[in-house]
Amino acid sequence: MHRPDPAPSDAGDERAPRVAAALMTWYAAHRRDLPWRQTSDAYRVWVSEIMLQQTQVATVIPYYERFLARFPTVESLAAADLDEVLALWQGLGYYARGRNLHTAAIEIVARHGGELPRTREALLALPGIGDYTAGAILSIAFGQDEPAVDANITRVLARLLDYDRDPTTTAAKRTFRQGMAALFPPARARGHSAAAVIQAMMDLGSTICTSRAPQCKVCPLAALCLAKAHGVVEERPLRKVRAERPHRTLGLAVAGVGPNARGGRLLLVRRVPRGLLGGLWELPGCEAPSVEALPAALERDLAAHLGLTLSAAAHHGAVEHGYSHFTLTAHLYVCQIEGEPTPDGPWDQAAWLAPEELADYGLTGLTTKALASLQSQPSLWEWAADDR
């Protein structure tokens, strides 16, 4: 049986001074030295927050540094080609973030004079910016007392409060925002900004109050944590049981190697810039209910969406790949085709690319795996060295 939702005072008011004092004392000694903390520039804060969504800090750092070296201002990002943006994003995952960042930069230049807006409403109107990112920009870049609650902070607060309900509901989010906001006044009384409180909570969630194996023995908030007192730390926040991921069977057309060599160039197509993996380049392919049905499906889809005639398709192995909502097996077919591609449907561009050109294009993770698999077959991959 669930307890009632915590009242605002339970969300932090009564314990807020003690929580703030313990948290900020710990943060002073353990603050992480991260590149985006060396600036309050709104553009750089925004880029870092988008990259950090669902991605580990260690992974983000080199991407952040390369991205800003190439696009040091919002104007330079807005003026860039989407292919170049996604090529720099390659490997970071969740590519809609990169597309939204690019689209939002164009809007910021066109509608806001190249400056990120300073209100929550205006920030939320930009593609890819939600409640947390808006709060982070307003507090960290503009010094406003705006709560920002990410997954790490949600976990810390859910344990502090022993919050035993779904943490993703509107009521839960309101409770956690109130809990964060309650920490700002006592922290400010000690000389700490709202931004410092938010960053301290993020660091605590990332390094101590972790999802698995939380280090309660060294946590500065252990004496104030209701979940610890009740012996349910690892049960908070409440987790939903995930359904088993469905499995899909795909076929990928490898045109440009073996008997169908095109001067050392391989046919790649660009996905329409929306939805899953939109704007990324890949080997043309299709889905089918079984492996046996793939050759006919490839023939049909290459004709329907690229205007190509498939005259032969030889199976050359398979690769496994997974996404958050499904897994797949992609079977590789070295194809003999006739005609030149005219993209339609799921693709909006096509190109015959030499190996050295691939680095300039944002490739899907599946395509990268497939190319690596093909490259491991020297007799097949002769085009990469000899056919140019």
Side-chain angles (χ1 to χ4, degrees):
M1 183 174 180
H2 291 301
R3 298 188 303 274
D5 276 335
S9 61
D10 296 330
D13 286 354
E14 293 179 355
R15 288 178 293 155
R18 295 166 62 198
V19 170
L23 177 68
M24 301 317 294
T25 298
W26 173 85
Y27 185 60
H30 299 91
R31 179 181 186 273
R32 291 183 293 179
D33 184 18
L34 303 173
W36 44 86
R37 290 185 177 170
Q38 299 170 10
T39 179
S40 60
D41 178 77
Y43 170 65
R44 291 170 180 257
V45 170
W46 171 44
V47 170
S48 71
E49 292 298 341
I50 297 298
M51 287 187 170
L52 286 164
Q53 292 171 4
Q54 297 179 289
T55 308
Q56 296 291 323
V57 166
T59 301
V60 167
I61 290 175
Y63 281 92
Y64 173 82
E65 293 173 340
R66 286 195 297 267
F67 196 87
L68 288 176
R70 175 59 189 88
F71 306 121
T73 64
V74 67
E75 290 85 0
S76 61
L77 176 57
D81 184 81
L82 178 60
D83 284 337
E84 185 179 7
V85 174
L86 293 182
L88 277 175
W89 204 273
Q90 185 174 323
L92 197 55
Y94 301 98
Y95 290 91
R97 296 179 299 170
R99 293 199 311 273
N100 286 334
L101 197 68
H102 183 244
T103 302
I106 294 172
E107 288 192 25
I108 290 167
V109 170
R111 297 171 50 197
H112 299 285
E115 298 287 337
L116 267 78
R118 293 172 176 254
T119 67
R120 176 176 285 272
E121 294 72 23
L123 285 171
L124 290 175
L126 294 171
I129 294 185
D131 282 335
Y132 166 74
T133 305
I137 293 170
L138 293 172
S139 61
I140 297 171
F142 298 133
Q144 300 180 24
D145 282 359
E146 280 285 343
V149 181
D150 70 350
N152 284 313
I153 294 175
T154 293
R155 184 167 57 255
V156 174
L157 290 172
R159 288 169 174 170
L160 271 174
L161 302 172
D162 189 12
Y163 192 86
D164 66 345
R165 294 189 175 185
D166 181 353
T168 65
T169 65
T170 300
K173 291 177 181 179
R174 180 172 60 250
T175 295
F176 297 145
R177 281 177 55 82
Q178 290 171 340
M180 280 300 297
L183 297 177
F184 294 160
R188 189 183 303 106
R190 291 172 167 267
H192 303 292
S193 65
V197 175
I198 292 168
Q199 290 170 333
M201 288 286 275
M202 287 192 291
D203 279 8
L204 186 67
S206 295
T207 62
I208 301 295
C209 193
T210 51
S211 178
R212 293 179 176 81
Q215 302 176 55
C216 296
K217 290 183 178 180
V218 296
C219 178
L221 306 184
L224 301 166
C225 180
L226 294 183
K228 184 176 187 301
H230 299 154
V232 292
V233 170
E234 297 202 19
E235 297 171 31
R236 303 289 181 264
L238 196 66
R239 295 184 181 92
K240 289 184 177 180
V241 178
R242 289 190 176 184
E244 186 175 346
R245 291 184 295 174
H247 188 79
R248 298 181 181 179
T249 301
L250 273 64
L252 301 180
V254 183
V257 300
N260 205 178
R262 298 254 178 153
R265 295 177 178 273
L266 189 67
L267 177 62
L268 269 75
V269 289
R270 192 179 81 162
R271 297 173 69 97
V272 173
R274 60 175 178 269
L276 179 67
L277 307 178
L280 295 178
W281 290 78
E282 64 185 3
L283 294 167
C286 66
E287 186 174 352
S290 66
V291 177
E292 293 75 20
L294 282 174
L298 270 178
E299 181 178 7
R300 181 187 64 244
D301 279 30
L302 289 179
H305 300 307
L306 289 174
L308 299 173
T309 300
L310 177 64
S311 58
H315 189 269
H316 273 272
V319 293
E320 305 290 333
H321 197 61
Y323 296 99
S324 57
H325 300 300
F326 64 92
T327 60
L328 61 84
T329 301
H331 295 265
L332 310 180
Y333 292 86
V334 174
C335 298
Q336 296 185 41
I337 58 172
E338 297 176 7
E340 286 299 323
T342 54
D344 189 17
W347 304 303
D348 66 351
Q349 291 186 36
W352 292 95
L353 301 176
E356 64 270 15
E357 295 175 306
L358 296 176
D360 297 328
Y361 291 76
L363 307 179
T364 67
L366 174 59
T367 298
T368 300
K369 278 187 181 178
L371 295 178
S373 174
L374 291 168
Q375 201 163 14
S376 68
Q377 304 178 52
S379 61
L380 174 65
W381 200 252
E382 293 174 353
W383 67 276
D386 302 330
D387 292 340
R388 283 172 283 174

